[in-house]
């Protein structure tokens, strides 16, 4: 997992509730990413950030929001607008956007 | 070992044999490729990468081959061990693209029989 931590490991969301997934890295990487993984599927990009205070939408940003106030932190909020949030969420970072991404251990989000 | 394409998502090999996992990538302009290993319930783990100016790169017990003519990437694992059992993803990156993401394949599940 190489210096990238995600918490919690499991998260339960009630209907209509916003939840925030934490991602921290101590690799001094500029770029950070959030992916969603569904069973038997590849990874789909939600948001990414190349530098502090900047982030870009990925392929499936609707119903999610992020912030990048510190270089080492890139939290993801799953809002009530995300109607199918049950998935495995993966955070990654890289030295910069063009380089290999390294992943955290993931957070599994379940809906009650 | 036995080679498979992504349309056959499972590869079963005997411990000690060599494994070959194949990947057909989508964009002829992609110029950077990565192989990841993902064990059940864990995040993907970087294995090896290769740039398009190379056609072969070796790591510890792994070799990646790149054939740009047919847009094909393969991962060879020598002397496969039970600990190699996992899903293996290839990822491609278009260097000149504006998006920051890698494009991931759906993966091939490698099962090692003792």
């Amino acid at each position: 997992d190489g210096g990238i931590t995600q918490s919690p490991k499991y998260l339960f969301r009630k209907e209509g509730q916003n939840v925030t997934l934490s991602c921290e890295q101590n690799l001094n990487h500029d770029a950070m990413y959030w992916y969603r993984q569904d069973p038997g599927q590849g990874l789909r990009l939600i948001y990414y950030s190349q530098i502090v205070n900047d982030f870009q939408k990925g392929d499936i940003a609707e119903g999610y929001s992020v912030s990048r106030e510190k270089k080492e932190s890139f939290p993801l909020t799953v809002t009530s607008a995300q109607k199918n949030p049950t998935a495995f969420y993966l955070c990654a970072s890289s030295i910069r956007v063009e380089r290999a991404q390294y992943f955290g251990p993931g957070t599994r989000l379940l809906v009650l | 070992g036995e080679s498979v394409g992504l349309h056959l998502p499972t590869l079963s090999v005997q411990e000690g044999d060599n494994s070959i996992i194949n990947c057909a990538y989508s964009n002829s302009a992609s110029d950077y490729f990565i192989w990841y290993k993902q064990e059940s319930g864990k995040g993907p783990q970087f294995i090896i990468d290769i740039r398009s100016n190379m056609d072969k790169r070796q790591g510890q017990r792994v070799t990646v081959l790149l054939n740009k003519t047919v847009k094909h990437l393969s991962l060879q694992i020598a002397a496969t061990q039970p600990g190699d059992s996992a899903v293996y993803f290839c990822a491609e990156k278009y260097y000149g693209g504006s998006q920051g993401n890698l494009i991931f394949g759906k993966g091939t599940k490698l099962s090692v029989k003792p």
Side-chain angles (χ1 to χ4, degrees), chain A residues 11 13 17-23 32-36 45-49 54-58 60-69 73-83 85 89-91 109:
Chain A
L11 186 58
R13 193 192 91 163
Q17 185 182 42
N18 292 354
V19 292
T20 298
L21 285 62
S22 169
C23 177
M32 296 187 74
Y33 314 79
W34 275 105
Y35 291 91
R36 170 181 172 138
L45 182 69
I46 304 172
Y47 270 97
Y48 72 101
S49 168
D54 179 71
F55 49 83
Q56 305 294 329
K57 292 182 179 180
I60 54 165
E62 186 174 351
Y64 301 97
S65 66
V66 293
S67 63
R68 185 85 187 278
E69 297 177 1
S73 180
F74 191 40
L76 173 74
T77 296
V78 184
T79 74
S80 57
Q82 173 49 244
K83 298 307 179 187
Y89 290 86
L90 288 157
C91 179
L109 177 61

Side-chain angles (χ1 to χ4, degrees), chain B:
Chain B
E2 180 179 326
S3 64
V4 293
L6 287 181
H7 61 286
L8 297 173
T10 302
L11 172 63
S12 184
V13 301
Q14 202 70 37
E15 181 178 358
D17 287 351
N18 297 334
S19 302
I20 300 175
I21 301 171
N22 295 315
C23 177
Y25 63 91
S26 58
N27 190 338
S28 58
S30 292
D31 50 13
Y32 180 52
F33 305 89
I34 308 171
W35 278 101
Y36 288 94
K37 171 187 179 183
Q38 186 176 25
E39 296 174 89
S40 181
K42 297 184 178 181
Q45 176 187 356
F46 173 91
I47 302 174
I48 192 168
D49 59 0
I50 188 168
R51 300 196 184 280
S52 59
N53 60 353
M54 303 173 68
D55 53 21
K56 179 179 180 179
R57 190 164 187 225
Q58 289 185 293
Q60 186 177 10
R61 275 202 311 120
V62 296
T63 301
V64 56
L65 300 177
L66 175 62
N67 185 331
K68 295 180 287 293
T69 303
V70 294
K71 294 191 291 183
H72 184 267
L73 191 69
S74 70
L75 177 71
Q76 301 178 3
I77 304 173
T80 312
Q81 301 168 0
D84 295 326
S85 294
V87 175
Y88 290 81
F89 295 92
C90 68
E92 60 182 289
K93 177 154 183 63
Y94 171 38
Y95 233 99
S98 58
Q99 286 194 318
N101 60 310
L102 299 174
I103 301 170
F104 289 88
K106 291 188 178 180
T108 297
K109 183 176 181 179
L110 176 64
S111 178
V112 182
K113 296 176 288 186

Side-chain angles (χ1 to χ4, degrees), chain A:
Chain A
D1 302 329
I4 303 175
T5 58
Q6 292 185 241
S7 62
K9 186 171 183 178
Y10 295 95
L11 186 58
F12 298 90
R13 193 192 91 163
K14 296 179 181 178
E15 292 288 339
Q17 185 182 42
N18 292 354
V19 292
T20 298
L21 285 62
S22 169
C23 177
E24 303 278 332
Q25 55 98 1
N26 61 4
L27 301 170
N28 200 32
H29 286 174
D30 283 330
M32 296 187 74
Y33 314 79
W34 275 105
Y35 291 91
R36 170 181 172 138
Q37 185 176 37
D38 294 283
Q41 300 291 317
L43 302 178
R44 293 185 290 167
L45 182 69
I46 304 172
Y47 270 97
Y48 72 101
S49 168
Q50 297 188 60
I51 56 172
V52 175
N53 293 323
D54 179 71
F55 49 83
Q56 305 294 329
K57 292 182 179 180
D59 301 320
I60 54 165
E62 186 174 351
Y64 301 97
S65 66
V66 293
S67 63
R68 185 85 187 278
E69 297 177 1
K70 298 187 295 182
K71 186 175 185 178
E72 55 272 17
S73 180
F74 191 40
L76 173 74
T77 296
V78 184
T79 74
S80 57
Q82 173 49 244
K83 298 307 179 187
N84 184 23
T86 297
F88 191 45
Y89 290 86
L90 288 157
C91 179
S93 70
S94 61
I95 293 175
R96 50 184 183 271
V97 165
E98 310 89 65
R99 301 293 294 272
Q101 297 175 19
Y102 294 86
F103 287 83
T107 292
R108 190 164 299 279
L109 177 61
L110 300 166
V111 177
L112 295 176

